[in-house]
Every structure is written in C-alpha cells, then in structure tokens.
Amino acid sequence: MNKYVYAFEEGNASMRSLLGGKGANLAEMTGLGLPVPPGFTVSTDACNRYYANDGVVEDAVFEQVFDALTALENKTGKKFGDAKNPLLVSVRSGAAISMPGMMDTILNLGLNDATAEGLAEATGNARFAYDTYRRFIQMFSNVVMELKMSQFEEALAAAREKDGAKVDSELTADTLKEVVENYKDIYRAQTGQPFPQTPRQQLAAAVEAVFRSWNNPRANIYRRLNGIPSSLGTAVNVQSMVFGNMGDDCGTGVAFTRSPSTGENKLFGEYLMNAQGEDVVAGIRTPQTIETLGENMPEVLKQLHDVAYKLERHFGDMQDIEFTIERGKLYMLQTRNGKRTATAALQIAVDLVKEGLATREEALLKIDAKQLNDVLHPTFDPEVIKAATPIAMGLPASPGAASGMLYFSAQEAEEAAAEGKDVILARTETSPEDIQGMSCSRGILTIRGGMTSHAAVVARGMGRCCITGCNDAFIDPEEKVLRTSEGREFHEGDYLSLDGSTGRVYGEKLPTVPAAITGNFETILGWADECRTLGVRANADTPVDAQTARKFGAEGIGLCRTEHMFFNSDRIISVRRMIVADNEKQRKAALAELLPMQKSDFRALYISMEGRPVTIRLLDPPLHEFLPHDGEEIEALAEVMGISAETLHNKVTSLHETNPMLGHRGCRLAVTFPEIPRMQVTAIMEAAIEVQKEFGYQITPEIMIPLVGETKELAFVKNIAVQTAEAVIEEQGLRIPYKIGTMIEVPRACLIADQIATEAEFFSFGTNDLTQMSFGFSRDDAGKFLPDYYEFKIFEKDPFATVDVDGVGKLIAMAADQGKKSRPDLKLGICGEHGGDPESIEFCHKVGLTYVSCSAFRVPIARLAAAQAAIKNKK
Amino acid sequence: MNKYVYAFEEGNASMRSLLGGKGANLAEMTGLGLPVPPGFTVSTDACNRYYANDGVVEDAVFEQVFDALTALENKTGKKFGDAKNPLLVSVRSGAAISMPGMMDTILNLGLNDATAEGLAEATGNARFAYDTYRRFIQMFSNVVMELKMSQFEEALAAAREKDGAKVDSELTADTLKEVVENYKDIYRAQTGQPFPQTPRQQLAAAVEAVFRSWNNPRANIYRRLNGIPSSLGTAVNVQSMVFGNMGDDCGTGVAFTRSPSTGENKLFGEYLMNAQGEDVVAGIRTPQTIETLGENMPEVLKQLHDVAYKLERHFGDMQDIEFTIERGKLYMLQTRNGKRTATAALQIAVDLVKEGLATREEALLKIDAKQLNDVLHPTFDPEVIKAATPIAMGLPASPGAASGMLYFSAQEAEEAAAEGKDVILARTETSPEDIQGMSCSRGILTIRGGMTSHAAVVARGMGRCCITGCNDAFIDPEEKVLRTSEGREFHEGDYLSLDGSTGRVYGEKLPTVPAAITGNFETILGWADECRTLGVRANADTPVDAQTARKFGAEGIGLCRTEHMFFNSDRIISVRRMIVADNEKQRKAALAELLPMQKSDFRALYISMEGRPVTIRLLDPPLHEFLPHDGEEIEALAEVMGISAETLHNKVTSLHETNPMLGHRGCRLAVTFPEIPRMQVTAIMEAAIEVQKEFGYQITPEIMIPLVGETKELAFVKNIAVQTAEAVIEEQGLRIPYKIGTMIEVPRACLIADQIATEAEFFSFGTNDLTQMSFGFSRDDAGKFLPDYYEFKIFEKDPFATVDVDGVGKLIAMAADQGKKSRPDLKLGICGEHGGDPESIEFCHKVGLTYVSCSAFRVPIARLAAAQAAIKNKK
C-alpha cells in the first residue's frame, strides 16, 4: 500500500515535493530537536490522487490519517474526542511552493460540546475553553464549509454589546458559551445539519477541504501568475495544538530572522499575548514588536534568538517563523525562507556570504531575479501609497511608478513634454506612430491590450512605466476625457499616477522615490558575471537605449529594430514617400533621403557600444504600418506629400492585409524591394567604417535578416547585403569584417535550420513570432479566449512571457542542434521578449545559446538569471 | 577529368538525367540498330557547371565537344567547314523531363559562304544549298542571337515578290543566294558583327545558347507549374544532318505510334515532302497524313511501321517519333513517350496490358494522375473552341467548362438558377456567404485571389468550374457590369463561358461536352484499388457532395466542414442569433433552432455513405465570418433580427480580429462557448443512432476537434463531446461506437503529437493551415510577394498545392511517428488541399498515413496516385 501519511519524525526538508514546504520544514525542525508540537503530514500525492479520482479521497488516506492520529494520542497522552483530556489539532495546507490563496488554517479541531467542557475542567479555564470552541466553529464553518461569516460576526457583536465589552477577550465564559450555542444554530440553519460532534468527522472534512482549496480560483490565478504547475498538489499538516490564548503567560507571534525590507541582520517581528494565531493577522489588537518580549519573558526571547540563529545556520537563509508561547514555553509552528524586498534580498545575499553562511553561488540562487525589477525603476513612497486609493486597475505591463499630467494623443504628449511637463499618455491602444509620444512620457496607460501588447513591449523596452488592459476605464479621445467605471472623469492636464508594478492607477499626483542601485547590487551582479556562461545583450533601437543598456552591463546590442527610427517625425515623411513611390526611381529617391539619417543613427549606436557587437535587423514590419488609415489623416498627409488623397487612399487600400502577421513583411520586403536593404546595408557599413576611422573601435556589424523561412530566400537577401557591403568597403577604402545572420522566428526555419546555417553566420531566435506561429494565435487576438484557457487550466503559463518548452522550445532546440551541425561556430542568440525572463533564460542556457538579448532594463535580471542557470545546471 | 560529352554509341535510355530525354533515347535507338544519324550529347552536368560558374562554359566542355566532332567527322567521312564535303549538324536542347519553352533546334549548323557553295556543288543542287544556308542564318539569328525576325521575314517576302513566288520552295537558287546576302546584312546591322563564318564558333555559340535557354522566363514558368527543379539542367544534342529538303524523294515528319487523342492502336502522324523539320510546324504548307506516305514510298512507310512496332515493344509505351527521309532513306531523329489526352492515356494503358506490353502496375504508372481531371469534368467542344477568342484570362482554379448567364451577386445567382437559368457567378472575390450562390452556379469567376483563394477551394470541392485572379477584367457590382481591359462590357444576363482548365473566359455561349467516364476508366481505377494501401476519402459538406464522392469511389468522408451548412439561407439567421446572443441562455435558444437542421444534414450524410466512416469537424471559422460587415447590410440584418443596428454593429466590431487566421476559431470556440460543441455532438450522435435504427448501417461517427495546439485543450473539448455523446446514447437507448480525434494543423500540435495522441483516436493533418503557419504567411496575403519568389526561384513549387516535404513534411512525419508511438493504432489522415495532389499523396504513402481525403472530384485522381505511390515505393 502507498504511504500517504508521514509523522514529523519521519520527514525532512528534502521531502518538500511530497510533504509540502511547511510539512517538510516542521519535520526538519523536529529532527533538529527544536520545540515543535508533534503531528503528521498527509502527502501531496494523496491530494493528486484525490483529483485523479474525481474529487474522492481514497479510503487508504483516511485509514493512515487515523493510524497517525492514534500514534499522536500516544505521543501526547491526550485522546481525540476524550472529554477528560482531549487532543486538539490544527489543520493547515502546505504546498511545495509557498502559495497564498488556498485554505490556510483551522485551529482547535477536535472540540465538541463534551471536549469543550472537558477542556474547561482540565485547564480550569472555562473562558478559554469556550472562546476556543467558538473560534473553532467559526473557522470550520468558514474554511471547511464555506459559509458566510456575517451572521457569525453579528452574533459575536451582539454578545459584546450584551457584556458591554470592547474586544472579544473581555467576554465572559458564560457569554462565550451562549455564543457557541448561537454559532451552532447558525451552522445548522445554513447547512441543514448539526455542527459535527465527532472529531474524526471534523478531521476528515478538514483534510478534504484543504485538497479542495488547491483548486479554488484564487489559488489558480496565483499559480498561473507565478508559473506553478497545478499538478504539484498540496499536503495537509495535522499538528497537536498548543495554546497562546490560555492566559497572560501565553502568546503567539511571527518573526523574520532579518529585516525583510532592508535585510538588516536583526530579529524582526511581532507578537500578541493571550491570543491565537489569527488574532495577529486580524488586526483587532495591535501586536507588539518582538523587542518588547524581553520585558515580559526574557528567557523566551533569548530562546527565540537561539532558535532563529540555529535555523539560519541550518537553512543558510533568512527565515520567516511562527511561534506560540504556552504557559511560558516556546513552541515552533513554522519556518520557511522569508520573503523579502529586492533591496533586502541583495543585502542578505551579500551578508550571508560575508558571514560564511552561504557561498557566492548559493547566495546568488537565493535572489529572485525577476524581483530585481523593483530596484531598477522608481517607486511610489510606500507611506504615501498606503493612504492612496486607486481609481482603476489594469495589468502591470512595465514596472516603475510615474506621476504626471494626462494627455490623450502622442502629439499632445510630445508638445506638453517639450514645455517641460511631466506627461502621462493615455490611449485606448498604442500603435507604432505613438512611439515618439511614448518616449516623451513618464508613464503610459492603455485601455486595451495585454502584457505583450504594443504599448507593453515598447514601454518595457524604454523602461517606461506602463499599465495596459485597464478595463475599468474608458477613453473618449474626441472629448479628451478618461472616465472610470465608477464615474470619475479626468481631463487633459489632470494629474494621474501609475504604478506599473501593481497595475494601480491613482487620480492624483503622488511622490516617487528614485531607483536605488546600491553597492550590494553591483556586488551581486559582479558575482553573477563570474558565474554565467551565457552572454547578455540588449535590444536597443536608439542611442539612448544603447546608453542605458551599457549602464546596466549589456555586452552588445542583440537587436536594433531599424524601423523604430523610421517613426521619428523628421523621417516618417521620407519613409512614406518610399512606400507611396510608384516606381523604383521614386523609391530610390526617398531612400536616398533616409540614408544619411539611418547612418547617423547607426553611428551613434556604434559609438555608444564602443566596439561591442551591434546586431541590426533589416526593415521588418509591413509597410502599411507606416501609413495613416483614417480618411482625415490620409487627406492631410496627401496634401503634405503633394499627391491626391485618392492616390494615397488607393495605396493604403492596396497595402491592406487580411493577416498582417502572416503578410508582406520581414525579408519578403527585401525580396520585393531590394532598394531597401541596399540603403540599410549602405548605412550600416558606412557608419561602421566612419566610426572605426574616427574612434578606432574595431567594429563588426552584424546584419540580421528577419522572417526567413527558406534557405534560398536568405541567400537572395544575403547576396544583396554582401554586394552592397563590399561596394561600401571598396568605396571607403577600409575593409572591416561583418557578419550576416538571420532571425529564426518562422517554424519552418527551425525545421530546415541545417540548411539555413549554411548561409547564416548567426541565428537569433525571435521567440515572439515563433510562439505566435507555433501556437497558431496572434497575441493581438488571443485576448478573446486566453482568459478562459487560464480559468480552465488549459494553459498555466503565459507562453509569451516564458518559453513554451514542450512546443516552441523543441523547435529552438532542434534548430540550435541542427544549425551547429552545419556550422559548428554558429552564434546563437534570442531576442524575443523571452530573453529577459529568468525561466526562459535557464532554458536558453540549457539549450546552448551563446547569448540572450532583452530590453535594457532587464539586462541586470538577465545577468543574474544567466548566472543562476549556470549554477543550477553545473550540478 | 570529368566526362561531359557522350557519343550516341556510349549512352542508353537509363542515362536520362545525364543526357536528357532526347539524348538518352537517341543513344538507345542507336544501340537498337535503328537508322539514327550519328552524333553526340553534351551532358546536363555541363549545363549545371555553366550556371554554378556564373554563366561561363568550362574549357573542358568545349575541348570534349570538339573531340567528339572530330570523331563524328571520321564516322561520316565529312568535315566540319570543309568546302568540298561539309559536315553539317543540328543542335537541340533536351532536358531529363520534356519541357517546352527552351531553345528548341538549330539545323544546318556548319554552313558558311564556302561550305554552302561546296554543298551546292556536292549535291548539284544550288537551290537546296542556299535555301539551307538562309534557313540556318535565320535560325541562328533567332534562337542563338535572339534577334528580331521581322526584317528577315520582310527580306524573304521581297524575294518572293521579285520571283512572283507564292511559297518559299518556288524561289530560285539565285534569288536565294541574294536572300542569304540580305540576311547577312541584317545580321551585321543588328549585331554589329559579321555572320560567323567559322563553324566551330557557330557550334560553341549554339551550345551556350542552349544552356542559357534553360533559364529563360518561359522555361522557368513551365518548371514551376510542373514542379520541375531548376537544378536538373539541360543536355545539348549535336547530330549530323540528314536532309528532307534535298528533293522530291526527301521529306520529314512526326508520328505517334497510337492516337494521342483516343489511344487507338494505329500509326498516327503527318509529313511534308521536300522540307525541313520547321516547315511541318510552321504551317505554311499543309502536311499530309502518314497513310498517304504509302502511295509515294511504300517501303519507307513499311519501315516506319517496323520502327514504331520495335520502339513500342522496347519502351513499353506509345511513342512520339520524328523522322526524316533523305533520298528515299528513313532516318530517326527522336523518340519519346508520347503525350496524350486523358482518354487516350486510359485506353493505351488498358491496351498495353492486353497486348502484354506492360503489367498492370507498369500501365498504371504510365498515366498522369493529375490529367484525369480532364475526364471528370465537362469540356468545351474542341472544334468550337478553336474558333473562339477569349475576352480575358485568369487562373485555372477549378477544371471543367461552363456556359451561362452572368450574375454579380450570390443572391441574384440563386434566384436566376431557381428560374432554371444556367448561371455564371462573377465576383471581385467570394466569401463564405456566397456558398449557396456558388453551388447554384455552373461556373465562378473572380477578379482577385489565387489558386487557393476561397472561391478556388470551394469550387474545387463542389466540382464547379472556376477561374480566379482574372486581372484582365474589372467588376462594378453597383452598375452590374464586367469590363475587360480591352473595353468590352458584359451586363447581368449576358452570356459568358469559362474554361476552368485553361483560365480562358469567352464572351459568348459555347457548347460543352459532358464528362465521359468510359469502361477503361473503371478498369484502371479497379487496378489502382488493388495496388494501393492508402485509403481514399472525400471532403464533403453536403449530401450532394457525399453522393458525388461515393460515385467516384470514396471510402468515407474524411472531412465534413459543418459550418458550410451554416450558410444556407434557412439557417444563417439562427447562426447569427447564436453569435449575437448576450448570454448563454440566448445562445442556447439559437442553438436549439440549429440542432434539428444539423441533425438532418448529418442523417443525409450517413445515409449517403451507407455505414462508411464519416468524420465531422466541429465549428471552425471565426464567428465574424457569419456576420455582414458593411453598414447597410448590418442595418438590414438588425431589423430582421429585431435588435438595434448599434447593438449589431458593436457586436461586429467586438468580433473584429487583427489576424483572423490566428484568432478565435477552431477548438478555441468550443472552449469559450461549450454550448456549440454540445449542440453539434448531440446532432452527430442523434442522427447516427436514428440512421442506424432505421437503416441498419453500423455507424461509427468520427468527431474531429479542429486547431488543437495543446493536449489539455483537446482533453477539455473531448470531455464535452464524450459527456454529450454518452448522454445521447443513454437517452436513445442504443450504444453505438464513436471516435474522437483532432485536426493536426497548428505546428505545435506536431511537436507534442505524442502527448496529443494520448487523447486523440485519430489525427487528420490540416495541411492548408499547417503550411500557412509553418511558413508564416497566409495564402490571402502571400499574393503580394510570391510572384517575385517564383521569379527569383526562391520557390519552385506552390507549397499550398504540393506538400513542402522539407519543412511541413518534416512536421507531419514527426507527428505521425510520435503519435503512433503513443497510440500504435492511431488512424492518420490528411484533409487539406494536398490530399488530392499526386505528389503529396506519394508523400502521405511514404510517411505511413492511413488515408487521404480530398474533394469528391479528386477522388479518382487520389485512387490512382495512391496506387502509383504504392507501386513506386514497393521497389
């Protein structure tokens, strides 16, 4: 028979996946000889079988639970349901990965009318016994039976009124006895059943409730947001009760072994005397700080310090502990690695190494790479934000905090910014034409779009704070007003504040705190650079991007999207002339206007990167993206261009595509309009040669051909690029090396990567498009069904945020492998959104890529994540 | 050193890829002892090196050519350039696969002023000598130098006038001598060079011209249309001349060993006395039928019969031969398997088996499966069509011929058809709403769209003749007029005739000849069925489709697209109500209206198929396809539906997708609106059980879930289907088996096929979408760049017509392999357009699919192609 139940003595910290984090650590503490009340853990395996079995707990599970209970009775000398000396237990959930949202805790289980009376007698404290009983009924009703709490609260309030009591602890034993009777009536009224008087029945129901809570909506959402597979399941911990509410020599508390906000090495926590666990959380009485415990119980505080020290030595990390004091004796109820701010995480990691508690490699693994975002962007003052009320909520699309005046169009935003105003740009959704306006704004808010919408991607690239998908609000761009679902209105120029890390929108001006990049941060990234084997480059389209990227330690530019330069107001007109051109001659004339501009862009990039590699992608988006689409804008533009509105309108129509994502873009543009790559390669090469002559940097431009799906297609465009590059070299009289490679972003390219590698000197995986094409859905359209996919757990992770290892990952691995077979020195990179995601970075490391490229603001994250990947996979 | 040149004695028929078809067969005939003028062949390898070498012929090639020429001189006792006894040669191209469009032939090469004079003396026939010389100058100028012919023709016309001659053969020797002088002047004027007098220089230029002609636009287009790789290259045949124009005991002709139009076993051909090859083709003099040769030269005719008999025995197939008679002696200049009509192909194949010249398997391989199209559809009377002039030209999108009255909207077409008129529906492009109108029409003409546009796909499915991409014409639907680029106008009700096999549009009523399915056809398909291992099913959406499919021998339905039934005018309103529904209740009410209709559709399908398998795909297209998009139509519909136009407009807007191909469709609809699959599965199961009860057919419905990309997604929808099916079984009190499977059409599905097969009982490869997503272009949009891709030879085949083996094929093979590993009895089918393409069918056979499914009219083609695949791959 399978073993589903483990006494604390039987487990240890390594059994996390079977016993959950809480159970494994209770077992570990038991093994360490710390004062842990005895108990046992029902394994995650039992939970998984419950789900496999359509929500039925196997008989074997209950049999083993009751066997363990008998053992617990023997250990404690108490008996479950015994009126004289009743055994009471707590029941808590505990998954392998700590996870809020599930059923948390039921205390005092085992109480019924008889054992409550027995408890009163045994302790000589009827008030304590009935207070404990009413707490149990309330918790059981709430978390096991999911009854509404309002009637229970009303009954308690009535009791307080009757006794003239301000707080519950002032209620008398008799009143509490009445409360218990009222509670049982409420329970019967709501469930149609009497409150269960059999402790074993209570226990069985509680165990099943924990299993059930694994699958509630809050837990599901949490798992999805954090990429936790639902197949892990939760364990259930059953532990004999100790009581913090037995009198004034009793209490309960929580503590961190170091400061979770700064990392300072000092016990940090709070406690309540004469209370049970939930009182600390409930906030009815204000807990005291841990230092004051020394005044009442210096011995206990000393013991707590000792335990904390021992646990830190043992686990090699800052611990978050729960304890109860029963009649002056300390009991440990939980320990786990403590959550911490990014600042604290850096401080603790550095300190642990100094104190010899961890090696550098171990310390690096203790930092959540994603969390570094918090120290890379400004934040709101935490004190101020506590008092502020959001007016709307959207998706936290790009982290950071920003306050500014509201504008509804990119142009107005640009103008206001030029006047020195702090600007918040609010749009229903953004398009490539808005890029200038976005870059002038402090923050961007969009009503539509998800975490990978245009606004989100561009804002992250720029390090601008951004909130997308803010369905709580509506924008009327004509009236220039933003209306919230609660009816508030904000007009042009009104102040708005955005917290891109939480998705909260505030209707007022709020002070921000600038990003603090402390010495610890530098230390940690220094260690990371020593450990990692994966290169880290940045996606950077402008000299400003490139400078930011360098500041954050990028080793080169992995993706420069040349088209982003096309939207600048001084060049869009030439771009449009090129598009509207009727013939090659007109097109060449327009391209000749663009050449010096592109060249000066590239010069600035090369200069910023001081000779480090710069990968420049040839024009990628479909041409219609550069033209206006609505009638008035077309008319205005036609006038500027000196052509008829009809001609321009016809051009716009002729460029219309049914599926732009699958249309005339990428290298397909280079095949049909070879003048475009000729101009771009000329600019790339002339700029490189000039900068090399002027500054002496040894530059090797990397020319990247996008959207290749066929070898001959790459060869065709490569041939244009080589001819152009050679012509420039000849003309300039200086030979510099250059590389020609391709984006791998079309599934077919992965399938024929061995062929493609015969032509390409490097691959850069464009995982955004590769994900869209492999799954067969575009991120612009998937918003209509993905919410249901998450709800039904068809997807548990966002494939646009983290590489889909099973599908897209298989293509990447295949392409990397086949590509290297054809060309052993093939450079392999990734430049999709995934390049800045720690989990995806680990995949990139495993699959043998040369570097990842991500937005400048993610470079530090990528450096740390790359180090973590190297450390984890060394073993 | 590589050998590039082979004397005819050195080769044989098996050296086709090296010597080309013509060269290999000349060698084979030489080996058979037939009267072949001696010569040699320059290999295709030399041609490929010419291209690899940027258009330079290797010295080694010319060295070997001149060595072979010396050998030829020795063999013939004549000398190249010798004034006394000049050797003259013909130079012809010859690829491995017979291919028009390349340089064809230069005769009489080796003539110059001196050798012409010598030839006159040697033959005592100055007229012959100068006629031959002027022909040579003309041909050399035309095909080698690519000069314009008009001046040459004018000079010849002037000569005729001077001599008072009606035809060239009446010109005197002196006049011809003058013509030669004139020709040389024209040559010098156009080229700036004198006409080359060195025979070796003439020969070198001719060889190079043949190589060059391999890559001319006509040859490229032909190769693309016929899927011939450009890497094959062409050979060059150099053969000593024999003369059919030396006098009245000379002549030249062509013959088929059997009738190429009926297959009748009888020598069939024509010849001209005192003429050279090009005269037969030029049509200046009318050739005589081969029978009349017996009157003049009975010996030669007998000899020709003997050669024909010998060649057929030897090659086991009907031969197309060229011959020349020089002074009463027969020479063979070419033999090859003869092109034939589909009718002839069938007759010949059956006869060859009867005559013991071929086994059944060999006979089956002699038929071009694609050509069977011609006997499956009506055609125009070939006599009438000769006289008719097309008014416009489009793509031959769906074969067959149709005449009818012109209508410009689906509804008007429907109404006219209801009045008993023959209708031609002409649209700028069609959409799913037009399906009813299309099915009522004899033929469909669209201005836009390619071979795989909506109109093309649907028309092929229906077996309707269809021409798409008719850029020569323009439709004004308001005015109800079709205007051709030549300015002709056709109004509603005017007669139009479409030839869907050629793409020609005629502006008049033309008589059609119905498809003749003869006994041979049945015989051949019977043999095919014995040989093939691949099943053949049909894609059929309606009972009419199903009946056609059965008539053509389909073994089941591989794809029923349920949505095609949704467009019928009696149900579209319910479909729209379902879409516009605000909540589940309204949606269910609309679905309840659809249920009996879908059920009756499925009943009819099951009854037509008499118990054979029927695979029904759940709703696939995005919902917006069922709604109108323009303002007026929306208003009209809103009124019918009793909702406000604004509501309907908002619905249409909310359903808008950026990339509909990658949007909310397929099983994603089933996930978000589970009521839809519930209704559909109810209809599928109720209909099956009813038909089984009433007719006794043992039915196993196959429910197909489209667009699956993730196992849990399939499991989710499958669960809905199973629950629904089981509920119907329980309610109806009859258990019937059913299968649940999936379309494999998203790249990711192929990558995780092992997982998906744990849930799917069958896979059906949807290669249309799989091709689009693997290449990353949609067929609706690819028209903007694919023409350039073909021109630059980046693509040589249409990946939507023939499976792209390197890319998409790899995904299919992977999925088939992995799927079978998980579920060894997994059924594997294909239901994309490729299921009816012979080359793709061979791929399906090799990769181990269970069946192919194609449009009903392609079923016979698929049966034959499947047999051919089995035969070819047995070896």
Side-chain angles (χ1 to χ4, degrees), chain B residues 603-866:
Chain B
R603 277 183 57 102
L605 285 184
Y606 294 135
I607 294 168
S608 305
M609 296 314 287
E610 302 175 336
R612 290 177 187 81
V614 175
T615 309
I616 298 173
R617 179 176 73 181
L618 300 182
L619 188 67
D620 184 56
L623 297 182
H624 52 77
E625 281 200 7
F626 299 96
L627 295 182
H629 290 87
D630 88 48
E632 274 181 44
E633 284 181 275
I634 289 176
E635 269 178 43
L637 177 62
E639 207 178 311
V640 173
M641 296 185 72
I643 59 176
S644 80
E646 197 192 341
T647 304
L648 185 55
H649 188 269
N650 286 345
K651 188 75 202 180
V652 169
T653 307
S654 79
L655 288 175
H656 171 79
E657 296 187 302
T658 312
N659 296 287
M661 168 96 238
L662 303 175
H664 192 181
R665 50 182 284 249
C667 64
R668 298 161 196 166
L669 292 169
V671 170
T672 53
F673 306 115
E675 311 81 54
I676 301 177
R678 266 187 219 118
M679 180 283 280
Q680 292 201 297
V681 173
T682 303
I684 290 168
M685 293 301 293
E686 286 186 359
I689 291 175
E690 283 179 17
V691 171
Q692 180 149 340
K693 283 180 184 169
E694 290 170 38
F695 295 83
Y697 301 138
Q698 299 294 316
I699 299 175
T700 303
E702 298 179 353
I703 298 166
M704 184 152 73
I705 298 171
L707 212 71
V708 164
E710 159 59 41
T711 313
K712 283 185 268 183
E713 181 182 40
L714 172 59
F716 184 89
V717 183
K718 180 183 172 184
N719 186 39
I720 295 171
V722 167
Q723 282 180 1
T724 309
E726 291 296 326
V728 173
I729 285 169
E730 179 138 340
E731 195 187 287
Q732 301 284 320
L734 177 64
R735 169 157 297 279
I736 61 164
Y738 59 93
K739 288 203 169 81
I740 297 181
T742 180
M743 295 273 282
I744 300 285
E745 53 188 332
V746 162
R748 190 175 189 269
C750 297
L751 298 165
I752 59 160
D754 50 343
Q755 289 177 32
I756 289 186
T758 61
E759 293 288 344
E761 291 173 278
F762 61 87
F763 283 178
S764 182
F765 290 97
T767 45
N768 295 354
D769 278 12
L770 192 58
T771 300
Q772 297 185 82
M773 292 178 192
S774 299
F775 277 91
F777 50 70
S778 95
R779 53 189 193 190
D780 291 323
D781 299 304
K784 287 184 178 139
F785 52 87
L786 282 188
D788 282 345
Y789 272 57
Y790 291 129
E791 191 185 326
F792 302 139
K793 287 187 292 182
I794 293 171
F795 287 165
E796 303 204 36
K797 278 184 204 176
D798 176 357
F800 294 120
T802 299
V803 167
D804 155 49
V805 173
D806 282 0
V808 178
K810 198 180 272 184
L811 282 177
I812 294 174
M814 193 188 300
D817 187 46
Q818 294 295 312
K820 286 236 171 196
K821 271 195 189 139
S822 286
R823 186 188 288 262
D825 66 343
L826 185 71
K827 273 200 189 182
L828 297 168
I830 180 172
C831 61
E833 281 282 302
H834 303 90
D837 168 65
E839 194 177 330
S840 306
I841 290 169
E842 184 170 355
F843 170 79
C844 294
H845 174 89
K846 283 187 193 163
V847 92
L849 300 199
T850 320
Y851 66 87
V852 297
S853 187
C854 56
S855 66
F857 281 86
R858 293 213 145 219
V859 165
I861 296 172
R863 287 164 67 192
L864 176 56

Side-chain angles (χ1 to χ4, degrees), chain A residues 1 71 75 144 148 185 189 217 225 279 304 384 527 546 607 812 857:
Chain A
M1 199 173 62
K75 225 171 281 171
V144 177
K148 283 180 210 143
D185 290 346
L225 290 176
D279 298 330
L304 200 59
V384 174
W527 295 350
I607 294 168
I812 295 174
F857 281 86

